[in-house]
Amino acid sequence: MSEALSTGMLLDERKAYGAFYTPTDAAHYLASWTMRREGEVLLEPSIGDGSFLAAAREVAAARGWGRPSFVASELNPRTAAELSGRGLVDAEELAVGDFLTTPVRPVDAAIGNPPYVRLRALPDDQARAAVDASRVDLGEPMATSGSVWMPFVSRTARFLRPGGRLALVLPWDFTYVRYARPLWRHLGETFSSLRVVRVRERLFPDISQDVLLLLAHGKGGRTDHVAFEAHATVADLVAERPEITASVPIARVVAGDRAFQEALLPPGVLDVLEETRPLTVPARELATFNIGYVSGDKDYFHPGAGAGLPDSSLRPALTNARRLRGGGLYTSGLASDAQSRLWLPGEELTPAEERYERRGRRLGVHRRYKCRVRSPWYSVPGVKVPDLVLSVFSQRPILMVNDGGHVASNSLLCGYLRADGPPDADAASFAAGWYTSLTLLHAELEVHSLGGGVFVLVPTEAGNVRVPLPGTVPTSVLPAAAEALARGDLDGAYRAGDEALAARVGTDGVRLVREGIATLEAWRTARPPVS
């Protein structure tokens, strides 16, 4: 059993506290980097399983130093008591409670793994503390979409003496989420040196969170760039054998560019992206993407044939993105088991609908949050027929042309062609441009992923994906894309338009694009790239 689990915290409890603990090798690496001189005071803002405290003590012992002095904090009283009882930290060194409300004490260095918990998941008092800390440290309150690790970083920096340094484990989201941009600006104005390290091998075997290591040095200085390193394994990190090194301008990160993702690309790929830029536009310039309707109760509002409801109030609907796989390119060709029907009655209910409405009340559906805030409770709002539907969760995004006139639930993204788009833009031309390796590479750059490397498409990121302009890829490629989709070959579908792409950038350009996809997919899924 790992030390992290031996503390007695169950996995669910650890997640509730955002306590995703750091492996010993990474902890020792960070402790070795952070500790420079004997007698320095070390801050640990969220001690978790104590791995950083233990690593710091072991590094000090290996160097022949005395025991380090700590300023430590822990929200979970049980964890704090256990680690104090084990002698990892003295009681007078440990503050039990919210680190963000702990009085600032000067320290020489900081090390740790802040909690990864969204503000909306925190108790009200902790959420207010996070917003207040951000306002004090960064000069502006953090966005409500943010996570508590962000004010942990800025508050940790406030503890440091001039010349101090910090080493923290943070989510990879830090490199691109909008709410973290003020923190990047602040770090550049606070430290003389910033370094970000990514390791393809999972640092946390029991969770699938993608993380980075932030190493900041020289409190009181300034810098306009971040030194970026990417390593294949933790062993490579410890041995300082990076696969990739790059200098990333902070201004690009603050501007919202995916600069760290681009730094992972093989040589030559960025040149192809630059060459093809005039041929592409962000997808939002051709179509608007929104989340589908929210019914409030999937089973009730998508009744089976036995409900006895009139066909006139049942709309063909798509409610499960997994059922799109193998369904081809056009919704009109979907099998019956891939489709549902949404109950969408008119102003006057038929006798059968009145009976069905009463059944919903007996089941308590009308008391569901999404239902009780609308009038009448059974009228699902925001139901529109999109031109395109796009999967939200998948290893490869699945786009379908909605020629079947389906409505789609919030399990899918709905694409609506823009009235002010190019005159030759239609669903077919959009799909032809979408199913190219170039579009897939831009999706790898712009779209974030969940554990296991599953793409998670949200409207903003879907709109940021650059796609070829209408006419760049002829619609004659669509039969090949449809055939590949029908047999579940998503890679084949995304190569349907590559011959047209090769006419613009050459076969070597297409090869580089595919190499870029393979590289980013390897980082996304934590697998070695296919040679």
Side-chain angles (χ1 to χ4, degrees), residues 324 326-334 387-389 398-404 427-432 434-435 475 477-487 493 496:
L324 301 185
L329 179 61
Y330 302 98
T331 61
S332 61
L334 284 169
D387 300 298
L388 306 156
V389 291
I398 300 173
L399 179 91
M400 297 190 76
V401 175
N402 187 27
D403 64 332
S429 65
F430 188 98
W434 182 271
Y435 283 112
T475 56
V477 308
L478 291 179
E483 182 182 351
L485 290 168
R487 63 176 183 267

PDB file of all heavy atoms in Angstrom, residues 324 326-334 387-389 398-404 427-432 434-435 475 477-487 493 496:
ATOM      1  N   LEU A 324     -23.038   7.751 -31.834  1.00  0.00           N
ATOM      2  CA  LEU A 324     -22.724   8.305 -33.146  1.00  0.00           C
ATOM      3  C   LEU A 324     -21.609   7.526 -33.819  1.00  0.00           C
ATOM      4  O   LEU A 324     -21.508   7.519 -35.043  1.00  0.00           O
ATOM      5  CB  LEU A 324     -22.312   9.774 -33.030  1.00  0.00           C
ATOM      6  CG  LEU A 324     -23.320  10.759 -32.417  1.00  0.00           C
ATOM      7  CD1 LEU A 324     -22.773  12.167 -32.514  1.00  0.00           C
ATOM      8  CD2 LEU A 324     -24.670  10.647 -33.098  1.00  0.00           C
ATOM      9  N   GLY A 326     -19.634   4.989 -35.686  1.00  0.00           N
ATOM     10  CA  GLY A 326     -20.080   3.987 -36.643  1.00  0.00           C
ATOM     11  C   GLY A 326     -21.346   4.385 -37.364  1.00  0.00           C
ATOM     12  O   GLY A 326     -21.890   3.601 -38.152  1.00  0.00           O
ATOM     13  N   GLY A 327     -21.821   5.617 -37.117  1.00  0.00           N
ATOM     14  CA  GLY A 327     -23.073   6.058 -37.720  1.00  0.00           C
ATOM     15  C   GLY A 327     -22.904   6.779 -39.031  1.00  0.00           C
ATOM     16  O   GLY A 327     -23.901   7.205 -39.627  1.00  0.00           O
ATOM     17  N   GLY A 328     -21.661   6.944 -39.500  1.00  0.00           N
ATOM     18  CA  GLY A 328     -21.445   7.635 -40.757  1.00  0.00           C
ATOM     19  C   GLY A 328     -21.353   9.137 -40.584  1.00  0.00           C
ATOM     20  O   GLY A 328     -21.147   9.647 -39.478  1.00  0.00           O
ATOM     21  N   LEU A 329     -21.562   9.854 -41.663  1.00  0.00           N
ATOM     22  CA  LEU A 329     -21.401  11.300 -41.677  1.00  0.00           C
ATOM     23  C   LEU A 329     -22.726  12.045 -41.544  1.00  0.00           C
ATOM     24  O   LEU A 329     -22.754  13.186 -41.084  1.00  0.00           O
ATOM     25  CB  LEU A 329     -20.708  11.717 -42.983  1.00  0.00           C
ATOM     26  CG  LEU A 329     -20.453  13.200 -43.217  1.00  0.00           C
ATOM     27  CD1 LEU A 329     -19.536  13.772 -42.143  1.00  0.00           C
ATOM     28  CD2 LEU A 329     -19.859  13.433 -44.607  1.00  0.00           C
ATOM     29  N   TYR A 330     -23.836  11.404 -41.898  1.00  0.00           N
ATOM     30  CA  TYR A 330     -25.131  12.095 -41.971  1.00  0.00           C
ATOM     31  C   TYR A 330     -26.098  11.517 -40.938  1.00  0.00           C
ATOM     32  O   TYR A 330     -26.265  10.298 -40.830  1.00  0.00           O
ATOM     33  CB  TYR A 330     -25.715  11.960 -43.372  1.00  0.00           C
ATOM     34  CG  TYR A 330     -24.796  12.499 -44.441  1.00  0.00           C
ATOM     35  CD1 TYR A 330     -23.977  11.643 -45.174  1.00  0.00           C
ATOM     36  CD2 TYR A 330     -24.744  13.859 -44.705  1.00  0.00           C
ATOM     37  CE1 TYR A 330     -23.124  12.129 -46.159  1.00  0.00           C
ATOM     38  CE2 TYR A 330     -23.897  14.363 -45.682  1.00  0.00           C
ATOM     39  CZ  TYR A 330     -23.076  13.498 -46.403  1.00  0.00           C
ATOM     40  OH  TYR A 330     -22.239  13.992 -47.355  1.00  0.00           O
ATOM     41  N   THR A 331     -26.762  12.397 -40.200  1.00  0.00           N
ATOM     42  CA  THR A 331     -27.691  11.933 -39.168  1.00  0.00           C
ATOM     43  C   THR A 331     -28.883  11.195 -39.768  1.00  0.00           C
ATOM     44  O   THR A 331     -29.520  10.387 -39.089  1.00  0.00           O
ATOM     45  CB  THR A 331     -28.190  13.102 -38.306  1.00  0.00           C
ATOM     46  OG1 THR A 331     -28.880  14.050 -39.126  1.00  0.00           O
ATOM     47  CG2 THR A 331     -27.031  13.783 -37.597  1.00  0.00           C
ATOM     48  N   SER A 332     -29.184  11.458 -41.029  1.00  0.00           N
ATOM     49  CA  SER A 332     -30.309  10.762 -41.662  1.00  0.00           C
ATOM     50  C   SER A 332     -30.049   9.266 -41.786  1.00  0.00           C
ATOM     51  O   SER A 332     -30.991   8.481 -41.942  1.00  0.00           O
ATOM     52  CB  SER A 332     -30.585  11.343 -43.055  1.00  0.00           C
ATOM     53  OG  SER A 332     -29.442  11.184 -43.890  1.00  0.00           O
ATOM     54  N   GLY A 333     -28.784   8.868 -41.715  1.00  0.00           N
ATOM     55  CA  GLY A 333     -28.447   7.460 -41.847  1.00  0.00           C
ATOM     56  C   GLY A 333     -28.234   6.742 -40.535  1.00  0.00           C
ATOM     57  O   GLY A 333     -27.850   5.561 -40.528  1.00  0.00           O
ATOM     58  N   LEU A 334     -28.498   7.402 -39.415  1.00  0.00           N
ATOM     59  CA  LEU A 334     -28.280   6.769 -38.118  1.00  0.00           C
ATOM     60  C   LEU A 334     -29.271   5.637 -37.887  1.00  0.00           C
ATOM     61  O   LEU A 334     -30.456   5.736 -38.243  1.00  0.00           O
ATOM     62  CB  LEU A 334     -28.416   7.798 -36.993  1.00  0.00           C
ATOM     63  CG  LEU A 334     -27.237   8.762 -36.806  1.00  0.00           C
ATOM     64  CD1 LEU A 334     -27.616   9.877 -35.849  1.00  0.00           C
ATOM     65  CD2 LEU A 334     -25.997   8.018 -36.308  1.00  0.00           C
ATOM     66  N   ASP A 387     -27.207  22.664 -37.671  1.00  0.00           N
ATOM     67  CA  ASP A 387     -26.725  22.218 -38.978  1.00  0.00           C
ATOM     68  C   ASP A 387     -25.700  21.096 -38.840  1.00  0.00           C
ATOM     69  O   ASP A 387     -25.577  20.240 -39.719  1.00  0.00           O
ATOM     70  CB  ASP A 387     -26.071  23.389 -39.722  1.00  0.00           C
ATOM     71  CG  ASP A 387     -27.038  24.535 -39.944  1.00  0.00           C
ATOM     72  OD1 ASP A 387     -28.051  24.320 -40.634  1.00  0.00           O
ATOM     73  OD2 ASP A 387     -26.794  25.638 -39.411  1.00  0.00           O
ATOM     74  N   LEU A 388     -24.987  21.117 -37.711  1.00  0.00           N
ATOM     75  CA  LEU A 388     -23.926  20.156 -37.449  1.00  0.00           C
ATOM     76  C   LEU A 388     -24.026  19.690 -36.005  1.00  0.00           C
ATOM     77  O   LEU A 388     -24.505  20.436 -35.138  1.00  0.00           O
ATOM     78  CB  LEU A 388     -22.547  20.801 -37.661  1.00  0.00           C
ATOM     79  CG  LEU A 388     -22.289  21.480 -39.009  1.00  0.00           C
ATOM     80  CD1 LEU A 388     -21.187  22.539 -38.872  1.00  0.00           C
ATOM     81  CD2 LEU A 388     -21.893  20.438 -40.051  1.00  0.00           C
ATOM     82  N   VAL A 389     -23.609  18.474 -35.737  1.00  0.00           N
ATOM     83  CA  VAL A 389     -23.495  18.009 -34.346  1.00  0.00           C
ATOM     84  C   VAL A 389     -22.079  17.496 -34.149  1.00  0.00           C
ATOM     85  O   VAL A 389     -21.456  16.929 -35.056  1.00  0.00           O
ATOM     86  CB  VAL A 389     -24.532  16.911 -34.005  1.00  0.00           C
ATOM     87  CG1 VAL A 389     -25.921  17.493 -33.970  1.00  0.00           C
ATOM     88  CG2 VAL A 389     -24.451  15.752 -34.976  1.00  0.00           C
ATOM     89  N   ILE A 398     -16.067  13.655 -33.269  1.00  0.00           N
ATOM     90  CA  ILE A 398     -16.932  13.143 -34.330  1.00  0.00           C
ATOM     91  C   ILE A 398     -17.883  14.259 -34.754  1.00  0.00           C
ATOM     92  O   ILE A 398     -18.662  14.763 -33.947  1.00  0.00           O
ATOM     93  CB  ILE A 398     -17.746  11.930 -33.853  1.00  0.00           C
ATOM     94  CG1 ILE A 398     -16.818  10.797 -33.409  1.00  0.00           C
ATOM     95  CG2 ILE A 398     -18.684  11.444 -34.959  1.00  0.00           C
ATOM     96  CD1 ILE A 398     -17.538   9.627 -32.775  1.00  0.00           C
ATOM     97  N   LEU A 399     -17.798  14.652 -36.025  1.00  0.00           N
ATOM     98  CA  LEU A 399     -18.682  15.670 -36.578  1.00  0.00           C
ATOM     99  C   LEU A 399     -19.651  14.999 -37.536  1.00  0.00           C
ATOM    100  O   LEU A 399     -19.246  14.184 -38.362  1.00  0.00           O
ATOM    101  CB  LEU A 399     -17.873  16.732 -37.320  1.00  0.00           C
ATOM    102  CG  LEU A 399     -18.706  17.835 -37.973  1.00  0.00           C
ATOM    103  CD1 LEU A 399     -18.878  19.000 -37.016  1.00  0.00           C
ATOM    104  CD2 LEU A 399     -18.082  18.310 -39.278  1.00  0.00           C
ATOM    105  N   MET A 400     -20.948  15.351 -37.434  1.00  0.00           N
ATOM    106  CA  MET A 400     -21.951  14.839 -38.358  1.00  0.00           C
ATOM    107  C   MET A 400     -22.753  15.990 -38.948  1.00  0.00           C
ATOM    108  O   MET A 400     -23.014  16.999 -38.272  1.00  0.00           O
ATOM    109  CB  MET A 400     -22.904  13.858 -37.660  1.00  0.00           C
ATOM    110  CG  MET A 400     -22.225  12.599 -37.135  1.00  0.00           C
ATOM    111  SD  MET A 400     -23.417  11.344 -36.577  1.00  0.00           S
ATOM    112  CE  MET A 400     -23.979  10.698 -38.165  1.00  0.00           C
ATOM    113  N   VAL A 401     -23.129  15.830 -40.197  1.00  0.00           N
ATOM    114  CA  VAL A 401     -24.034  16.771 -40.868  1.00  0.00           C
ATOM    115  C   VAL A 401     -25.456  16.389 -40.482  1.00  0.00           C
ATOM    116  O   VAL A 401     -25.879  15.247 -40.669  1.00  0.00           O
ATOM    117  CB  VAL A 401     -23.848  16.705 -42.397  1.00  0.00           C
ATOM    118  CG1 VAL A 401     -24.884  17.588 -43.088  1.00  0.00           C
ATOM    119  CG2 VAL A 401     -22.433  17.122 -42.781  1.00  0.00           C
ATOM    120  N   ASN A 402     -26.194  17.347 -39.946  1.00  0.00           N
ATOM    121  CA  ASN A 402     -27.534  17.047 -39.412  1.00  0.00           C
ATOM    122  C   ASN A 402     -28.602  17.198 -40.488  1.00  0.00           C
ATOM    123  O   ASN A 402     -29.524  18.013 -40.389  1.00  0.00           O
ATOM    124  CB  ASN A 402     -27.831  17.953 -38.214  1.00  0.00           C
ATOM    125  CG  ASN A 402     -29.121  17.557 -37.520  1.00  0.00           C
ATOM    126  OD1 ASN A 402     -29.533  16.395 -37.559  1.00  0.00           O
ATOM    127  ND2 ASN A 402     -29.752  18.521 -36.872  1.00  0.00           N
ATOM    128  N   ASP A 403     -28.487  16.380 -41.526  1.00  0.00           N
ATOM    129  CA  ASP A 403     -29.499  16.434 -42.576  1.00  0.00           C
ATOM    130  C   ASP A 403     -30.786  15.740 -42.159  1.00  0.00           C
ATOM    131  O   ASP A 403     -31.818  15.855 -42.830  1.00  0.00           O
ATOM    132  CB  ASP A 403     -28.966  15.809 -43.867  1.00  0.00           C
ATOM    133  CG  ASP A 403     -28.668  14.329 -43.716  1.00  0.00           C
ATOM    134  OD1 ASP A 403     -28.351  13.883 -42.593  1.00  0.00           O
ATOM    135  OD2 ASP A 403     -28.733  13.604 -44.726  1.00  0.00           O
ATOM    136  N   GLY A 404     -30.754  15.028 -41.014  1.00  0.00           N
ATOM    137  CA  GLY A 404     -31.951  14.359 -40.528  1.00  0.00           C
ATOM    138  C   GLY A 404     -32.853  15.262 -39.707  1.00  0.00           C
ATOM    139  O   GLY A 404     -33.926  14.828 -39.265  1.00  0.00           O
ATOM    140  N   ALA A 427     -23.055  23.147 -44.766  1.00  0.00           N
ATOM    141  CA  ALA A 427     -22.680  22.035 -43.892  1.00  0.00           C
ATOM    142  C   ALA A 427     -21.719  21.076 -44.584  1.00  0.00           C
ATOM    143  O   ALA A 427     -20.780  20.551 -43.966  1.00  0.00           O
ATOM    144  CB  ALA A 427     -23.933  21.299 -43.423  1.00  0.00           C
ATOM    145  N   ALA A 428     -21.919  20.841 -45.864  1.00  0.00           N
ATOM    146  CA  ALA A 428     -21.061  19.906 -46.596  1.00  0.00           C
ATOM    147  C   ALA A 428     -19.638  20.437 -46.706  1.00  0.00           C
ATOM    148  O   ALA A 428     -18.660  19.703 -46.490  1.00  0.00           O
ATOM    149  CB  ALA A 428     -21.640  19.636 -47.976  1.00  0.00           C
ATOM    150  N   SER A 429     -19.489  21.725 -47.048  1.00  0.00           N
ATOM    151  CA  SER A 429     -18.141  22.283 -47.183  1.00  0.00           C
ATOM    152  C   SER A 429     -17.442  22.336 -45.826  1.00  0.00           C
ATOM    153  O   SER A 429     -16.223  22.150 -45.738  1.00  0.00           O
ATOM    154  CB  SER A 429     -18.196  23.673 -47.809  1.00  0.00           C
ATOM    155  OG  SER A 429     -18.873  24.597 -46.968  1.00  0.00           O
ATOM    156  N   PHE A 430     -18.209  22.605 -44.751  1.00  0.00           N
ATOM    157  CA  PHE A 430     -17.615  22.611 -43.418  1.00  0.00           C
ATOM    158  C   PHE A 430     -17.098  21.210 -43.084  1.00  0.00           C
ATOM    159  O   PHE A 430     -15.977  21.053 -42.582  1.00  0.00           O
ATOM    160  CB  PHE A 430     -18.638  23.064 -42.381  1.00  0.00           C
ATOM    161  CG  PHE A 430     -18.047  23.283 -41.012  1.00  0.00           C
ATOM    162  CD1 PHE A 430     -17.694  24.553 -40.587  1.00  0.00           C
ATOM    163  CD2 PHE A 430     -17.822  22.218 -40.138  1.00  0.00           C
ATOM    164  CE1 PHE A 430     -17.139  24.761 -39.328  1.00  0.00           C
ATOM    165  CE2 PHE A 430     -17.275  22.406 -38.886  1.00  0.00           C
ATOM    166  CZ  PHE A 430     -16.927  23.689 -38.480  1.00  0.00           C
ATOM    167  N   ALA A 431     -17.909  20.184 -43.338  1.00  0.00           N
ATOM    168  CA  ALA A 431     -17.508  18.812 -43.032  1.00  0.00           C
ATOM    169  C   ALA A 431     -16.297  18.392 -43.862  1.00  0.00           C
ATOM    170  O   ALA A 431     -15.395  17.705 -43.355  1.00  0.00           O
ATOM    171  CB  ALA A 431     -18.671  17.852 -43.284  1.00  0.00           C
ATOM    172  N   ALA A 432     -16.227  18.815 -45.112  1.00  0.00           N
ATOM    173  CA  ALA A 432     -15.085  18.465 -45.956  1.00  0.00           C
ATOM    174  C   ALA A 432     -13.800  19.054 -45.389  1.00  0.00           C
ATOM    175  O   ALA A 432     -12.756  18.392 -45.359  1.00  0.00           O
ATOM    176  CB  ALA A 432     -15.324  18.960 -47.387  1.00  0.00           C
ATOM    177  N   TRP A 434     -13.399  19.931 -42.234  1.00  0.00           N
ATOM    178  CA  TRP A 434     -13.177  19.386 -40.890  1.00  0.00           C
ATOM    179  C   TRP A 434     -12.389  18.082 -40.956  1.00  0.00           C
ATOM    180  O   TRP A 434     -11.447  17.870 -40.178  1.00  0.00           O
ATOM    181  CB  TRP A 434     -14.517  19.167 -40.189  1.00  0.00           C
ATOM    182  CG  TRP A 434     -14.374  18.655 -38.790  1.00  0.00           C
ATOM    183  CD1 TRP A 434     -14.309  17.355 -38.388  1.00  0.00           C
ATOM    184  CD2 TRP A 434     -14.261  19.451 -37.604  1.00  0.00           C
ATOM    185  NE1 TRP A 434     -14.161  17.277 -37.013  1.00  0.00           N
ATOM    186  CE2 TRP A 434     -14.133  18.551 -36.507  1.00  0.00           C
ATOM    187  CE3 TRP A 434     -14.264  20.824 -37.355  1.00  0.00           C
ATOM    188  CZ2 TRP A 434     -14.000  18.999 -35.190  1.00  0.00           C
ATOM    189  CZ3 TRP A 434     -14.132  21.269 -36.036  1.00  0.00           C
ATOM    190  CH2 TRP A 434     -14.005  20.354 -34.979  1.00  0.00           C
ATOM    191  N   TYR A 435     -12.742  17.220 -41.875  1.00  0.00           N
ATOM    192  CA  TYR A 435     -12.101  15.910 -41.922  1.00  0.00           C
ATOM    193  C   TYR A 435     -10.806  15.946 -42.738  1.00  0.00           C
ATOM    194  O   TYR A 435     -10.689  15.378 -43.818  1.00  0.00           O
ATOM    195  CB  TYR A 435     -13.081  14.854 -42.431  1.00  0.00           C
ATOM    196  CG  TYR A 435     -14.058  14.461 -41.346  1.00  0.00           C
ATOM    197  CD1 TYR A 435     -15.404  14.782 -41.443  1.00  0.00           C
ATOM    198  CD2 TYR A 435     -13.615  13.806 -40.193  1.00  0.00           C
ATOM    199  CE1 TYR A 435     -16.287  14.444 -40.424  1.00  0.00           C
ATOM    200  CE2 TYR A 435     -14.493  13.479 -39.166  1.00  0.00           C
ATOM    201  CZ  TYR A 435     -15.825  13.797 -39.288  1.00  0.00           C
ATOM    202  OH  TYR A 435     -16.702  13.464 -38.271  1.00  0.00           O
ATOM    203  N   THR A 475     -15.883  19.006 -51.680  1.00  0.00           N
ATOM    204  CA  THR A 475     -16.860  18.124 -51.048  1.00  0.00           C
ATOM    205  C   THR A 475     -16.831  16.714 -51.629  1.00  0.00           C
ATOM    206  O   THR A 475     -17.465  15.802 -51.096  1.00  0.00           O
ATOM    207  CB  THR A 475     -18.281  18.697 -51.178  1.00  0.00           C
ATOM    208  OG1 THR A 475     -18.562  18.921 -52.564  1.00  0.00           O
ATOM    209  CG2 THR A 475     -18.400  20.000 -50.400  1.00  0.00           C
ATOM    210  N   VAL A 477     -14.587  14.747 -51.244  1.00  0.00           N
ATOM    211  CA  VAL A 477     -13.921  13.863 -50.277  1.00  0.00           C
ATOM    212  C   VAL A 477     -14.927  13.263 -49.294  1.00  0.00           C
ATOM    213  O   VAL A 477     -14.586  12.339 -48.555  1.00  0.00           O
ATOM    214  CB  VAL A 477     -12.813  14.611 -49.488  1.00  0.00           C
ATOM    215  CG1 VAL A 477     -11.852  15.309 -50.432  1.00  0.00           C
ATOM    216  CG2 VAL A 477     -13.407  15.604 -48.489  1.00  0.00           C
ATOM    217  N   LEU A 478     -16.146  13.767 -49.264  1.00  0.00           N
ATOM    218  CA  LEU A 478     -17.090  13.346 -48.227  1.00  0.00           C
ATOM    219  C   LEU A 478     -17.469  11.870 -48.304  1.00  0.00           C
ATOM    220  O   LEU A 478     -17.634  11.234 -47.248  1.00  0.00           O
ATOM    221  CB  LEU A 478     -18.340  14.223 -48.279  1.00  0.00           C
ATOM    222  CG  LEU A 478     -18.115  15.677 -47.850  1.00  0.00           C
ATOM    223  CD1 LEU A 478     -19.404  16.480 -47.965  1.00  0.00           C
ATOM    224  CD2 LEU A 478     -17.561  15.749 -46.429  1.00  0.00           C
ATOM    225  N   PRO A 479     -17.640  11.257 -49.481  1.00  0.00           N
ATOM    226  CA  PRO A 479     -17.936   9.815 -49.477  1.00  0.00           C
ATOM    227  C   PRO A 479     -16.856   8.992 -48.770  1.00  0.00           C
ATOM    228  O   PRO A 479     -17.173   8.043 -48.042  1.00  0.00           O
ATOM    229  CB  PRO A 479     -18.027   9.477 -50.965  1.00  0.00           C
ATOM    230  CG  PRO A 479     -18.473  10.749 -51.610  1.00  0.00           C
ATOM    231  CD  PRO A 479     -17.767  11.830 -50.842  1.00  0.00           C
ATOM    232  N   ALA A 480     -15.581   9.367 -48.964  1.00  0.00           N
ATOM    233  CA  ALA A 480     -14.507   8.643 -48.285  1.00  0.00           C
ATOM    234  C   ALA A 480     -14.578   8.858 -46.775  1.00  0.00           C
ATOM    235  O   ALA A 480     -14.387   7.914 -45.990  1.00  0.00           O
ATOM    236  CB  ALA A 480     -13.151   9.082 -48.824  1.00  0.00           C
ATOM    237  N   ALA A 481     -14.859  10.082 -46.359  1.00  0.00           N
ATOM    238  CA  ALA A 481     -14.995  10.355 -44.925  1.00  0.00           C
ATOM    239  C   ALA A 481     -16.181   9.600 -44.346  1.00  0.00           C
ATOM    240  O   ALA A 481     -16.091   9.013 -43.257  1.00  0.00           O
ATOM    241  CB  ALA A 481     -15.160  11.857 -44.689  1.00  0.00           C
ATOM    242  N   ALA A 482     -17.310   9.586 -45.072  1.00  0.00           N
ATOM    243  CA  ALA A 482     -18.510   8.890 -44.589  1.00  0.00           C
ATOM    244  C   ALA A 482     -18.258   7.394 -44.458  1.00  0.00           C
ATOM    245  O   ALA A 482     -18.688   6.762 -43.485  1.00  0.00           O
ATOM    246  CB  ALA A 482     -19.676   9.147 -45.546  1.00  0.00           C
ATOM    247  N   GLU A 483     -17.559   6.827 -45.433  1.00  0.00           N
ATOM    248  CA  GLU A 483     -17.273   5.391 -45.390  1.00  0.00           C
ATOM    249  C   GLU A 483     -16.381   5.053 -44.196  1.00  0.00           C
ATOM    250  O   GLU A 483     -16.621   4.058 -43.490  1.00  0.00           O
ATOM    251  CB  GLU A 483     -16.595   4.954 -46.695  1.00  0.00           C
ATOM    252  CG  GLU A 483     -16.301   3.463 -46.756  1.00  0.00           C
ATOM    253  CD  GLU A 483     -15.593   3.069 -48.039  1.00  0.00           C
ATOM    254  OE1 GLU A 483     -15.483   3.903 -48.946  1.00  0.00           O
ATOM    255  OE2 GLU A 483     -15.132   1.909 -48.113  1.00  0.00           O
ATOM    256  N   ALA A 484     -15.354   5.873 -43.967  1.00  0.00           N
ATOM    257  CA  ALA A 484     -14.469   5.629 -42.823  1.00  0.00           C
ATOM    258  C   ALA A 484     -15.232   5.770 -41.510  1.00  0.00           C
ATOM    259  O   ALA A 484     -15.067   4.956 -40.590  1.00  0.00           O
ATOM    260  CB  ALA A 484     -13.286   6.603 -42.870  1.00  0.00           C
ATOM    261  N   LEU A 485     -16.080   6.780 -41.390  1.00  0.00           N
ATOM    262  CA  LEU A 485     -16.873   6.958 -40.172  1.00  0.00           C
ATOM    263  C   LEU A 485     -17.809   5.782 -39.951  1.00  0.00           C
ATOM    264  O   LEU A 485     -18.004   5.341 -38.814  1.00  0.00           O
ATOM    265  CB  LEU A 485     -17.669   8.256 -40.251  1.00  0.00           C
ATOM    266  CG  LEU A 485     -16.864   9.559 -40.164  1.00  0.00           C
ATOM    267  CD1 LEU A 485     -17.728  10.748 -40.545  1.00  0.00           C
ATOM    268  CD2 LEU A 485     -16.291   9.741 -38.755  1.00  0.00           C
ATOM    269  N   ALA A 486     -18.387   5.258 -41.021  1.00  0.00           N
ATOM    270  CA  ALA A 486     -19.331   4.139 -40.899  1.00  0.00           C
ATOM    271  C   ALA A 486     -18.658   2.880 -40.361  1.00  0.00           C
ATOM    272  O   ALA A 486     -19.303   2.074 -39.686  1.00  0.00           O
ATOM    273  CB  ALA A 486     -19.983   3.850 -42.253  1.00  0.00           C
ATOM    274  N   ARG A 487     -17.393   2.729 -40.643  1.00  0.00           N
ATOM    275  CA  ARG A 487     -16.695   1.549 -40.107  1.00  0.00           C
ATOM    276  C   ARG A 487     -15.924   1.868 -38.820  1.00  0.00           C
ATOM    277  O   ARG A 487     -15.135   1.057 -38.332  1.00  0.00           O
ATOM    278  CB  ARG A 487     -15.759   0.957 -41.163  1.00  0.00           C
ATOM    279  CG  ARG A 487     -14.633   1.838 -41.637  1.00  0.00           C
ATOM    280  CD  ARG A 487     -13.715   1.075 -42.616  1.00  0.00           C
ATOM    281  NE  ARG A 487     -12.578   1.892 -43.019  1.00  0.00           N
ATOM    282  CZ  ARG A 487     -12.531   2.666 -44.089  1.00  0.00           C
ATOM    283  NH1 ARG A 487     -13.584   2.690 -44.905  1.00  0.00           N
ATOM    284  NH2 ARG A 487     -11.448   3.378 -44.368  1.00  0.00           N
ATOM    285  N   ALA A 493     -11.137   8.840 -41.435  1.00  0.00           N
ATOM    286  CA  ALA A 493     -12.014   9.970 -41.761  1.00  0.00           C
ATOM    287  C   ALA A 493     -11.226  11.274 -41.782  1.00  0.00           C
ATOM    288  O   ALA A 493     -11.429  12.124 -42.668  1.00  0.00           O
ATOM    289  CB  ALA A 493     -13.154  10.052 -40.755  1.00  0.00           C
ATOM    290  N   ALA A 496      -9.337  11.953 -44.965  1.00  0.00           N
ATOM    291  CA  ALA A 496     -10.104  11.997 -46.218  1.00  0.00           C
ATOM    292  C   ALA A 496      -9.724  13.195 -47.072  1.00  0.00           C
ATOM    293  O   ALA A 496      -9.644  13.096 -48.298  1.00  0.00           O
ATOM    294  CB  ALA A 496     -11.606  12.009 -45.905  1.00  0.00           C
TER     295      ALA A 496
END
